[in-house]
Amino acid sequence: MAAGQRRGRPARALGLAPSIRALAPGGGAAPRPPDDRPVLRLAVSKGALAIELGEPFALGPLRVTELVVRLAGIRFPVDLSGGVARFRHRRGQLVRLAVEAQGTELAGWAAPRLRGLLGDGAPQLLIAPIEDGALVALRSGETALAFDVAVAPGERALRLLPARARGIGLAAPPHALALQALSMMAGAHGRLVEGAIVLDAAVERIVRLLLPAAGARAPAVEGVQWAVVTAEAGRFRAEGALGAAPPALGDRALRALEAAELAGAADELASAGGLDEARRAYLAALERAPRHPEISSRLAWLDLVIGERAEGALSTVVDAMPAVDAGLLGGALLEAVGDHDGAFSALARAAHAEPYGPLAALAWLRAAALADTVDVRLDALNLGVARAPGIEALRWARFHARLDVADVRGALADAEHLEASARGAEARHAVSRRAAEAFLARGDAADARVLFERALRYAPESPDVVAGLGRSLRAAGEGRRALDLLARARALAARSGAPACALDLELGRGLAEIAGDLPAAIARVRSVPPGVPEALEARLLEGRWCAGLGDLGGASVALGRLRDAVELALQGRADDAGPARARGAPFGDGAAAVAALLAEAAEIEERSRGDLLAAQRQLGLALRLRPRDPGITAAFRRVSGEIAPPVAPAPAPPGPVQRPRAAEQRIEVHVAAPRRRTIPPEPVVIAPAPIKPPPVPRAPAAPPEAAPIDPGTIDEMPTLDGTDTSTDLTAPIPNSVTLAEGQVPLARAFGVDDELLAERLADRLRADPADQGVAMALADVLDRLGRDLDLLALLSARMEEGDDAVRLEVAPRRRSVLARLAARARAEGRDSEAELYEMLLQSELA
C-alpha cells in the first residue's frame, strides 16, 4: 500500500502543479457558472414600478436582451425592500421586448432538425443576414439548396416567406424544399399558411417561458406589436413595444407577400408532394399575373424535377426572362435540351452571382462537365475550388483535369489536400489509393508508387494496394519485385477471404510476360471460376497461352468456354426481351471489351488452329455486341467469304457451236439494273441509252441448233450494232457491246454463263467501285447463283460506302437476303447464326 493512503479511502490522483497565474490574486477563481434562471430587477420610472430583465437570458438559439413589465395599481410610497420576490405574484403589462440571435448559433441549433432533407445526415447549414431577411443555404455532398427568407412582422406573429429558391442535385422543386426546411426549423412553433411559415403568438411564447422560469407571473401582452426587425453583422434583432406602429416593409418582403398571395395554394400543394395539382395551380396563378418571374421559375422547376418536360419548362422561363439569365434553372434546362454552350453560359453567370460559396462551386463543377476543351474545364474547376475549397467532388474533378494536362505537381497538391481533409485512417487510405490508381492509369509509375506506399502506411495488409504497388513497379521495369508483391497480395487476399480473381489474372500475366512461365500462368487463370466478371478474360488468356505452347486442343476448349459463356449470357437476356433488345445488355458498358475479346479469340482460332467456322462463330457473337464496329464487320465478311462453298458452273449443252475468234476485240459490259430475260429468235434490238425499255413478252425458246457458244470464245464475242436488225454473225465486229437495263441476259445468248458474268462484273466493279449500275448487275447475278453470303457482303459494302440515294436503293435487297440467310440457318439448325442475321435485320428495321 502506498505511503499515506488510508484503508477505505481512494488515493489522491496526481495532477499538474498550479501555475503562477493561478496563484495571483483573483487568478485562481473559477468563472461563475451561468445561472439557469433569468435575473430580474425592479425599476421605477415616471412614477411607475416595473420589473426588468437584469441581464440577457438564452432561450434556445435566442437571447432575450430586454424585457420590461409594468406593474399597475401600486401607490407610492411603497416598500421595495423585498425586491422582485415581493411583486412576483402581480400580473403586469408587457411594455417592451427585444430578442437577438446570432446566425452561427441559429444554424448550429437548426441543422440537426434538417436531418434527412437533402441526404441521410444533417446538412451543412448557413444562416446569414441580408436586407429585410436572411439567406438560408444547405449542402449535403454534391446537393445544395439556397433561398432567401423575407421576414414580415404582424401584430404578434412573424411571417417567414421563402423566395428565389435554387439548387443543384435536388429531388424536389427547390421552393417546396425551402418551405419544408423552414417548417422543420420552426417545429411546433410555426405553421404553413399560404406559402409562408407563420410563427403565431411569438411574444406570448417568449414571456411565458422566461418569467415563470424566474418565479414571476407572465404579463399581459395585448397591444404589443413587433416594431423593428433588423439583420446586420451576423446578428438578427427583433423588438416589440406596446402600442407600436407596424413597421414599414421593404421591397423584398412586399414582393414575397404578393407572390405568396398569388401562388400560396400551389406552394402548399408542391410542399406536400402533389406536383400535378401544384402545376395546375401555378398555371392559374400565371393567368392572373402573366410572365411573373418568380411564379414562372417555380413552375419550370417543377417540370424539370418531374422529368421529360424540359422543352415546355424552357418555354415557360423564356416567356419571363432570357434563359441564360435564369441562373441554375436556365443552365439545367438548356443542358436538358442539348444546348451545352448556352448551359455553360447560364451556369457561369449563376456561379458568379451566387452568394453561397458551395452552391456556386457546384455550379462551376456542372459547367466544367459541359466544357469542350480541357483548358476551359480546368479554368471552371479552379474558380469552383476558389469558392469552396472543401468540396471533395470538386477537388477530385480538378485532380483528374490536371492529370489530363500533365500538371503532375498540381495533381499531387490536390491529392495531398484531399488526404489532409480526410478524417480517419480508412478515409486517408482510400484517398491515397484512388490517387495512385489514377496516376498509374495515365502511365506515371513513379508517382503512383509513392502514393501506393503512402496508402500502405494506413492499411499495410490491403491486398489491393499491395497489388497496385506491384503493378506500378512492373510498369517501372522492376518485374521481379512486382511478381513478389503480386504473390504477396494473392496470399493476403486468401488470408482475409477477399475475392482474388483479379489478382489471379494479374499474377498470371506477370508469370507469362515477366517470368515466361506459360504453364504456371495457365494454371493461375484456370483457377478463375465461371460466372465472375474476370472469367471471360481468363478464358481468352488461357486460350492464347495454350496456343503459344502448341496445345491447340486446350486452346480450343478455353476459347469454346469463352464463346459458350457469352452465348449463355446473350441467350438469357434474349429469353426475356427478344434478340433485338438483347444486344450487349448483359455486359452493360463492357460490351465493347467483350467484343474485343471475341475478336481476338477468332484471330487465334483462325491463325493457330485454322478453324474458320469457329472464328466465324466468335466474330458473329462479337457483331451481336458491336454491330457497327468496322473492324469486326470486315473480319466477319472476310472469314465468311473464305468458307463460302464454291458453286459449280452449269454444264454446257453438248456440241457447242464454235464462233469465229476475233483476236483484237473483247466485250465491254455496261449494266444498270439487270433482269432475267430470254432472247427471242427474231431480230435483236439493243438500245444504247440507259433508259428502261417497256417489258418484252417472253418468246419461245431458241431452236436446238442455236446452242450457246463455248465460254472460251468470250473474249472474241461478236458485237451487234444497236440499229442493225440482222442476225448474220458474219457481219463486221464492232469494238464492244453496251447492254442497257434489262438486257444482261444477252450475254447468255452468246454462251456466257452467270459464273463467268459475275467474275467479269466483279472485275469491272473493282476497277470502278463507284459504278452503282455494275454493282447492282453483279447483285442480280449473285442472286441468281444463290451466293447469298457474297451478295450480303456486296450490299453491306454499298450501304457503308454509298450516299443516301444508294442506301435507299440497296436497303430493301439487303433485308431480303438477311431474311433468306436467317431462314436457311434456322432450317439447318444453326440457331446462333440465325439470331445474328435476325439481329442485323431488326437493326435495319429499327
Side-chain angles (χ1 to χ4, degrees), residues 802-810:
D803 54 11
D804 293 338
V806 171
R807 283 190 286 270
L808 187 63
E809 179 183 2
V810 171

Side-chain angles (χ1 to χ4, degrees), residues 219-232:
V221 296
E222 289 79 4
V224 177
Q225 293 186 0
W226 294 107
V228 177
V229 177
T230 59
E232 56 183 6

Side-chain angles (χ1 to χ4, degrees), residues 446-716:
D447 291 311
R449 175 179 179 176
V450 173
L451 290 170
F452 274 125
E453 290 172 349
R454 186 179 299 175
L456 284 176
R457 179 193 311 169
Y458 303 109
E461 300 296 321
S462 172
D464 293 332
V465 177
V466 174
L469 181 57
R471 291 196 303 270
S472 62
L473 289 174
R474 177 183 170 188
E478 302 181 26
R480 300 296 175 181
R481 177 59 180 158
L483 276 179
D484 293 340
L485 287 174
L486 290 174
R488 180 170 178 265
R490 180 65 179 83
L492 290 173
R495 187 188 311 165
S496 61
C501 296
L503 291 174
D504 284 330
L505 285 180
E506 288 288 342
L507 193 53
R509 289 196 195 93
L511 290 170
E513 299 172 7
I514 299 173
D517 191 352
L518 291 183
I522 292 171
R524 280 292 178 185
V525 297
R526 277 183 178 172
S527 64
V528 178
V532 297
E534 296 84 2
L536 298 179
E537 188 175 359
R539 301 292 84 81
L540 174 68
L541 293 175
E542 180 184 353
R544 180 197 298 170
W545 295 332
C546 284
L549 286 175
D551 183 8
L552 300 183
S556 176
V557 171
L559 297 178
R561 289 176 180 171
L562 168 64
R563 182 178 63 247
D564 293 342
V566 177
E567 283 183 343
L568 183 62
L570 290 175
Q571 184 62 37
R573 177 71 177 180
D575 291 340
D576 298 332
R581 292 177 55 191
R583 182 173 55 213
F587 308 103
D589 296 336
V594 176
L597 295 178
L598 292 169
E600 184 178 351
E603 184 180 356
I604 296 173
E605 296 276 14
E606 180 184 2
R607 184 185 65 251
S608 300
R609 300 182 58 246
D611 191 346
L612 295 180
L613 290 176
Q616 183 191 38
R617 191 172 178 185
Q618 300 277 15
L619 291 170
L621 285 176
L623 274 179
R624 292 179 64 180
L625 294 172
R626 302 283 291 177
R628 299 189 182 278
D629 190 295
I632 298 176
T633 304
F636 180 78
R637 287 181 191 158
R638 179 180 53 78
V639 173
S640 299
E642 291 180 6
I643 65 176
V647 179
V657 178
Q658 297 293 333
R659 297 290 183 181
R661 305 181 67 87
E664 298 180 359
Q665 283 87 13
R666 66 177 187 141
I667 292 180
E668 295 179 7
V669 182
H670 304 274
V671 184
R675 276 201 307 258
R676 181 186 298 274
R677 295 180 58 188
T678 59
I679 301 300
E682 48 267 29
V684 180
V685 178
I686 303 175
I691 302 175
K692 185 175 181 180
V696 179
R698 187 179 299 272
E705 58 273 10
I709 65 171
D710 184 1
T713 63
I714 186 63
D715 288 334
E716 280 93 25

